[in-house]
Amino acid sequence: MTLRCKHRHTIDEHPACFANNDLAERRYVKDTGKPWYTYPGYKIGYLDIETSGLIGEKDYILTWCIKEKGGEIFSDKITKRDISTYRLDKRIVKTLIDKLCEFRIIVTYYGTKFDIPFLRTRALKFGITFPTYGHIYTWDLYYTVRSKLSLTRNTLERACALLGIEGKTHVDLNVWQLAALGDEKSLKEVLTHNEYDVIILEELHDRLSFTRKWIKSSI
Ligand SMILES: [Zn+2]
């Protein structure tokens, strides 16, 4: 089914209408009592990855989380076996991309500069097909925060502190180091941190809805 905005345009033609929830007579919402973003092919997901470092060419993904808007969190984490067999994040890059393809819109914080290029680099390295341009839209809240707020630093942490959004956890540097070596307890802690980040990302997105503007860039 193709959903249409109040001007009878598609999500590709009038993304801003979808961002503002201006759908045709709100018919699709009324009929089922469900918002448009729960329709197959229209899902919104909040993405965040945790990595062993900042450079996709040499570092690797430790955990990933995608939270479906208003729904559950999907995740995966690297294992000791992935590391000891030198396959590193190949398996979880695949599971992440498979899950990513179920979403139409991916919301991140600085994801267009970090998470997405990092993931693309890992996928290319392993010969895993990455979603083609135009398939998934991204919505990077970093740019919203940077342009609409005045903070000491334009981080997810500062934005959440301003709005009283709780849940940002801190992971000790030693824990990061052990997680990158496959230590199960440390990886669990990193994953918990990752889960909280997508939860607060969704909250931040909802709180900043007054500034909501579709950034029509695709991955
Ligand atoms: Zn429209």
Side-chain angles (χ1 to χ4, degrees), residues 1-3 9-15 18 36-46 66-69 98-107 131-139 214-219:
M1 187 205 289
T2 303
L3 301 184
H9 287 284
T10 64
I11 192 169
D12 294 321
E13 292 160 348
H14 277 193
F18 281 76
W36 61 270
Y37 51 77
T38 59
Y39 274 76
Y42 289 87
K43 282 196 213 172
I44 298 179
Y46 298 87
I66 301 179
K67 185 182 184 308
E68 194 175 326
K69 187 167 181 59
D98 284 349
K99 186 48 77 179
L100 201 62
C101 289
E102 294 175 17
F103 292 84
R104 187 64 171 272
I105 300 144
I106 287 293
V107 182
T132 50
Y133 189 84
H135 184 72
I136 301 171
Y137 289 113
T138 60
W139 196 331
W214 195 282
I215 295 159
K216 198 177 176 179
S217 66
S218 66
I219 61 173

Side-chain angles (χ1 to χ4, degrees), residues 5-7 9 14 17:
C5 75
K6 62 182 178 181
H7 312 105
H9 287 284
H14 277 193
C17 287

Side-chain angles (χ1 to χ4, degrees), residues 16-202:
C17 287
F18 281 76
N20 294 323
N21 212 25
D22 288 334
L23 265 68
E25 296 149 17
R26 312 237 169 182
R27 167 158 79 90
Y28 303 105
V29 180
K30 252 187 208 161
D31 285 354
T32 61
K34 285 182 187 168
W36 61 270
Y37 51 77
T38 59
Y39 274 76
Y42 289 87
K43 282 196 213 172
I44 298 179
Y46 298 87
L47 166 73
D48 186 45
I49 63 173
E50 304 302 339
T51 60
S52 65
L54 294 175
I55 311 294
E57 191 184 3
K58 67 179 181 67
D59 302 313
Y60 49 93
I61 297 173
L62 302 178
T63 64
W64 64 258
C65 285
I66 301 179
K67 185 182 184 308
E68 194 175 326
K69 187 167 181 59
E72 62 182 299
I73 298 174
F74 302 95
S75 68
D76 206 351
K77 60 179 193 294
I78 204 166
T79 62
K80 182 114 195 164
R81 187 174 160 76
D82 289 331
I83 292 167
S84 66
T85 56
Y86 306 120
R87 284 191 279 257
L88 300 176
D89 53 350
K90 185 176 183 176
R91 182 185 58 78
I92 63 168
V93 164
K94 181 85 173 58
T95 58
L96 172 50
I97 289 173
D98 284 349
K99 186 48 77 179
L100 201 62
C101 289
E102 294 175 17
F103 292 84
R104 187 64 171 272
I105 300 144
I106 287 293
V107 182
T108 63
Y109 199 92
Y110 209 61
T112 52
K113 282 287 188 327
F114 177 69
D115 304 62
I116 303 290
F118 195 106
L119 177 61
R120 184 185 291 109
T121 302
R122 301 307 292 167
L124 287 170
K125 179 186 169 75
F126 295 127
I128 297 166
T129 308
F130 194 75
T132 50
Y133 189 84
H135 184 72
I136 301 171
Y137 289 113
T138 60
W139 196 331
D140 193 333
L141 289 182
Y142 165 78
Y143 295 102
T144 311
V145 165
R146 197 181 71 174
S147 63
K148 304 286 182 183
L149 303 177
S150 172
L151 303 177
T152 49
R153 279 179 300 134
N154 294 313
T155 58
L156 177 61
E157 186 175 12
R158 295 319 310 152
C160 287
L162 178 81
L163 297 167
I165 298 170
E166 289 174 4
K168 185 81 188 150
T169 63
H170 282 280
V171 179
D172 190 87
L173 278 179
N174 293 319
V175 174
W176 283 110
Q177 209 163 30
L178 290 176
L181 294 170
D183 176 61
E184 204 160 311
K185 189 168 165 282
S186 302
L187 278 166
K188 256 187 195 160
E189 194 177 329
V190 170
L191 182 62
T192 302
H193 168 77
N194 197 168
E195 286 166 346
Y196 274 114
D197 271 0
V198 291
I199 290 168
I200 66 177
L201 190 58
E202 181 178 16

